[in-house]
Amino acid sequence: MLDYKSAKSQLLQMKQAHLEVCQFLGEIDSDFHENAAKTLATRIENLVIEPIDIALKIIDVIEM
């Protein structure tokens, strides 16, 4: 049997780490790097954070 609490905890830690990276990228104010930073932050949100959110929702449903 899977340990859903442990998996949920790890997912929340990963989400927080990636949110911090996105926040850092959003604070970049250099003319040369600003567009690349915002693009990278958006990609992290779409390709990493959204799937983590989906996984967290699935775990919540399983736990119910």
Side-chain angles (χ1 to χ4, degrees), residues 1-30:
M1 185 167 177
L2 294 174
D3 181 14
Y4 293 111
K5 283 188 176 189
S6 175
K8 189 173 185 176
S9 174
Q10 290 175 352
L11 286 168
L12 288 170
Q13 289 174 355
M14 288 189 305
K15 180 179 177 179
Q16 183 60 37
H18 286 90
L19 286 172
E20 289 172 6
V21 169
C22 288
Q23 181 180 358
F24 172 78
L25 291 169
E27 294 171 357
I28 292 177
D29 209 13
S30 164

Side-chain angles (χ1 to χ4, degrees), residues 25-41:
L25 291 169
E27 294 171 357
I28 292 177
D29 209 13
S30 164
D31 291 337
F32 183 71
H33 297 345
E34 187 174 8
N35 288 336
K38 290 183 190 249
T39 300
L40 181 56

